[in-house]
């Protein structure tokens, strides 16, 4: 079969383009009520009094919930790296910790009435001291967001270390150091958060725009103190996620309303709520030092990163991902990453495509260009010489050789399962025509416009999470695939069907998939960590292989032939020589079966190799040195994502990631004023890339087949967004000689740099 590697029409294409696709927001149930959240106008305050009588008496209002009416439970549990620190969010509390924090929720017959009622709630706030900046929040005497002794999440930094950085810096002949800053930015998916809940007897059914139905079920069951079996979560079609489609209290609050009123309740974020309160990308301050020898070899990399996580969602996983760049992208025996995640009263940050990797790679790949320039080496050539190779990092493995290797290790002495990073650099540069551009830095192309080129490399883990699948093959040749995964728009439902069709050797159209329903589908991890194709795809293939194994076992007994001499051709079991054959329908009929079912539970891991994806992006820009504007002209995005299961989908993921990263590099920024109130509240002052901002984007998939992934696949969804901002910054420097160390690269920052350079 040639289904894997092709580009069949996506299973959701027709419903989406014809408007037939049903999103959670499209659901309308008899007697359904509408909910609205009342949010705090203060960054930090105690609720002295809250009066809801006027709201409750408004015709059409069914109930109002405040902190007095909901369980006093932590909705957002602390993750493994917080080490017992406080900081989880209550459903509703008597203390608010950021502007926009949930204070009350109203349910009414219609949306307009609910909004009117929310405005009638009278609250007396006692303002408390607040802090918005992460570095200030770490200083002695800073207001403590959650009490305790410090605003540092987990009470200590997260440290990733290999070798001895102090010795490595002493050995260095040259040392390069710089401080970089990145901003808050919002994912702003087309579909905002929306949830509909309904109670029937003691069972809660939830229709939710999310990214993990089983994670939602577990969280809701714990919050509501009921068995998980009493929670049924369904995720319909999702209008994009970018990693942060959950991490809000909407589902739990709606479920409580629905339980009290015994009617369905719908809660949907407004566009403004999704933009401002939908969980943002963490801003980061990165102090980076690189020590090198004059021949270019790197002796030490030292990274101190501080991230502002707001008052909730601890962010330990995000900062760990950030550490992967400086500890593993370049061959170096001595590395140290110290990550500080800090509570503040600013925006709430959370998961966002690439987690901390775009911030980290912006810093690392900018400084690598500076190092190359300081050594007089072409930045492309410098990377080719120094990026980590298939053998992994230098040193001896320290961990137990019988223990599975994490996708983000720190120690050396462990090879990669596959590593096409040098191919990305070399083949991508040929496609881009890098060497033809070398020596033309800052060339004027039209009046005040100057042209420049830049590149940046990237490394990212391929998620290895537990996954399950069920595959049923009927006597008519129809296939049913059952999986709990959520397709958030990336096309995973299509990819998983491709894998099953390939394994069963049946036409792609023969596979019918059912997904993301806790009552109907087996357990699945959430859609995050670039894990769906790799982990869920492995489960889908294993379940399909189990069906083939059963068919061969059945045929072996009926034909009296050993299984090793039999093969499945998609419609029948035959001898390898082709002499004897029994069709699927004959085989199942003789056994009295209507179908064969294969099940698989997998946890892809190994004890010998690291599974990572790699990329290099090459960028050409034109900079107007009078206006300070940057126009990206062309991007070649070379990726080692393993073998592409659906080539068009992979290329679309790369294009989408690049466009998203252009916005991150040049224009997107969620600002906050000193009062703690959001300055950026709509698309009027949060500018996403427009069509005119999008350059020619050339996705390029290098020829790599990973031996561990299903049919050789690895990850691409998150790596696509990671190296672009750094490549653009490097291209801007090539054009102007101005090194931008703070994102986004605004005209004001660029013109200030040009002015400083002229004055010098």
């Amino acid at each position: 079969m040639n289904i894997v590697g092709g580009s069949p029409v996506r299973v959701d294409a027709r419903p989406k383009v014809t408007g037939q696709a049903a999103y959670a927001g499209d659901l309308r149930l008899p007697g359904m009520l509408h909910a609205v959240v009342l949010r705090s106008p203060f960054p930090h305050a105690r609720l002295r009094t809250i009066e809801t009588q006027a709201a409750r008496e408004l015709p059409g209002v069914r109930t109002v919930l405040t902190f007095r009416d909901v369980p006093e439970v932590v909705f957002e549990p602390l993750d493994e790296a917080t080490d017992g620190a406080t900081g989880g969010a209550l459903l509703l509390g008597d203390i608010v910790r950021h502007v926009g924090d949930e204070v009350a929720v109203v349910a009414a017959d219609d949306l307009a009435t609910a909004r009117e009622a929310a405005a009638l709630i009278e609250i007396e706030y006692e303002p408390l001291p607040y802090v918005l900046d992460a570095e200030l929040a770490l200083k002695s005497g800073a207001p403590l967001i959650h009490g305790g002794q410090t605003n540092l999440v987990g009470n200590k930094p997260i440290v990733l270390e290999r070798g001895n950085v102090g010795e490595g810096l002493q050995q260095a002949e040259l040392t390069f150091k710089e401080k970089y800053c990145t901003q808050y930015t919002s994912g702003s998916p087309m579909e905002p958060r929306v949830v509909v809940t309904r109670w029937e007897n003691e069972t809660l059914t939830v229709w939710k725009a999310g990214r993990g139905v089983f994670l939602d079920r577990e969280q809701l069951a714990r919050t509501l103190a009921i068995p998980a079996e009493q929670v049924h979560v369904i995720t319909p079609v999702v209008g994009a996620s970018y990693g942060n489609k959950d991490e809000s209290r909407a589902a739990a609050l709606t479920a409580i309303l629905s339980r009290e009123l015994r009617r369905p309740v719908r809660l949907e974020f407004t566009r403004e709520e999704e933009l401002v309160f939908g969980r943002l990308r963490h801003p980061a301050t990165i102090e980076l030092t690189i020590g090198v020898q004059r021949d270019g070899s790197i002796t030490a990399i030292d990274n101190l990163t501080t991230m502002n996580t707001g008052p909730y969602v601890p962010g330990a996983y995000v900062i760990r991902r950030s550490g992967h760049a400086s500890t593993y992208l370049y061959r170096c025996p001595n590395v140290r990453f110290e990550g500080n995640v800090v509570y503040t009263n600013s925006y709430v940050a959370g998961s966002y495509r690439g987690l901390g990797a775009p911030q980290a790679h912006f810093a690392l790949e900018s400084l690598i260009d500076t190092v190359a320039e300081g050594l007089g080496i072409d930045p492309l050539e410098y990377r080719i010489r120094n990026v980590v190779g298939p053998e992994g990092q230098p040193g001896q493995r320290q961990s137990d050789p019988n223990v599975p290797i994490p996708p983000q290790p720190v120690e050396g002495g462990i090879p990669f399962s596959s590593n096409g990073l040098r191919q990305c650099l070399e083949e991508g540069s040929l496609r881009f025509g890098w060497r033809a551009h070398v020596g033309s830095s800052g060339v004027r192309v039209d009046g005040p416009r100057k042209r420049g080129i830049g590149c940046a490399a990237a490394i990212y883990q391929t998620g290895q999470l537990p996954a399950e699948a069920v595959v049923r093959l009927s006597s008519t040749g129809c296939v049913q695939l059952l999986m709990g995964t959520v397709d958030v728009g990336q096309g995973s439902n299509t990819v998983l069907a491709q894998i099953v069709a390939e394994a069963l050797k049946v036409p792609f159209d023969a596979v019918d998939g059912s997904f993301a329903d806790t009552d109907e589908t087996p357990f699945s991890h959430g859609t995050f960590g670039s894990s769906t194709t790799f982990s869920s795809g492995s489960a889908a293939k294993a379940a399909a292989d189990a069906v083939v194994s059963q068919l061969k076992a059945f045929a072996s007994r009926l034909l009296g032939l050993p299984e090793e001499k039999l093969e499945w051709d998609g419609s029948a079991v035959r001898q390898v020589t082709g002499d004897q054959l029994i069709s699927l329908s004959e085989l199942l009929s003789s056994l009295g079966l209507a179908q064969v079912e294969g099940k698989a539970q997998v946890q892809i891991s190994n004890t010998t190799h690291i599974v990572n994806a790699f990329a290099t992006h090459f960028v050409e820009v034109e900079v107007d040195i009078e206006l300070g504007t940057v126009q990206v002209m062309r991007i070649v995005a070379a990726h080692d994502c393993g073998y592409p299961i659906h080539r068009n989908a992979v290329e679309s993921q790369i294009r989408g990631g690049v466009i998203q990263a252009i916005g991150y590099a040049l224009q997107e920024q969620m600002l906050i004023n000193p009062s703690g109130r959001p300055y950026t509240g709509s698309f009027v002052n949060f500018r996403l890339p427009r069509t005119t901002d999008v350059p020619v984007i050339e996705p390029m998939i290098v020829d790599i087949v990973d031996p561990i992934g299903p049919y050789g696949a690895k990850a691409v969804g998150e790596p696509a967004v990671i190296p672009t901002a750094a490549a653009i910054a490097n291209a801007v420097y090539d054009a102007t000689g101005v090194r931008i160390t703070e994102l986004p690269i605004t005209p004001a920052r660029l013109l200030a740099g040009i002015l400083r350079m002229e004055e010098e």
Side-chain angles (χ1 to χ4, degrees), residues 429-461:
S429 66
L430 289 174
R431 171 80 69 85
F432 183 76
W434 177 273
R435 287 178 172 82
H437 288 281
V438 172
S440 60
S441 303
V443 171
R444 289 182 182 266
V445 292
D446 181 20
R449 297 176 68 84
K450 289 186 174 184
R451 183 168 294 169
I453 61 171
C455 69
I459 185 173
Y460 199 72
Q461 70 171 61

Side-chain angles (χ1 to χ4, degrees), residues 422-563:
R422 283 194 176 88
Q423 289 97 311
C424 289
L425 287 160
E426 293 169 349
E427 297 172 22
S429 66
L430 289 174
R431 171 80 69 85
F432 183 76
W434 177 273
R435 287 178 172 82
H437 288 281
V438 172
S440 60
S441 303
V443 171
R444 289 182 182 266
V445 292
D446 181 20
R449 297 176 68 84
K450 289 186 174 184
R451 183 168 294 169
I453 61 171
C455 69
I459 185 173
Y460 199 72
Q461 70 171 61
T462 294
Q464 301 166 42
L465 299 172
E468 299 180 16
V470 174
V471 172
R472 295 171 182 151
L473 174 63
S474 74
S475 59
T476 62
C478 295
V479 181
Q480 184 180 25
L481 168 63
L482 301 173
M483 298 196 74
T485 53
V486 177
D487 188 328
V488 294
Q490 81 278 34
S492 61
N493 290 355
T494 301
V495 167
L496 295 170
Q498 282 180 272
I499 290 171
V500 170
E502 184 78 23
L504 293 179
K505 300 181 180 178
V506 300
F508 173 71
D509 293 340
V511 181
D512 180 31
S514 296
F515 302 93
D517 185 324
T518 56
D519 279 12
E520 303 295 332
T521 59
F523 170 82
S524 174
H525 55 82
T527 301
F528 52 76
S530 290
S531 59
T532 303
T533 296
F534 188 82
S535 296
S536 298
S538 297
K541 185 178 185 301
D545 289 343
V547 169
V548 173
S549 295
Q550 289 182 65
L551 292 172
K552 289 167 65 176
F554 294 156
S556 173
R557 294 199 298 269
L558 290 173
L559 299 175
L561 295 170
E563 290 183 40

Side-chain angles (χ1 to χ4, degrees), residues 473-474 504 544-558 563 566-573 582-584 587-588 591 593 595-597:
L473 174 63
S474 74
L504 293 179
D545 289 343
V547 169
V548 173
S549 295
Q550 289 182 65
L551 292 172
K552 289 167 65 176
F554 294 156
S556 173
R557 294 199 298 269
L558 290 173
E563 290 183 40
L566 299 173
E567 63 181 4
W568 167 252
D569 69 3
S571 62
V573 178
I582 181 169
S583 70
L584 173 63
L587 179 58
L588 295 187
L591 296 168
L593 299 174
Q595 65 180 17
V596 179
E597 180 177 277

Side-chain angles (χ1 to χ4, degrees), residues 71-84:
E72 190 176 351
V73 296
V74 174
F75 175 73
E76 292 170 339
L78 303 175
D79 60 39
E80 63 181 16
T82 57
D83 198 26

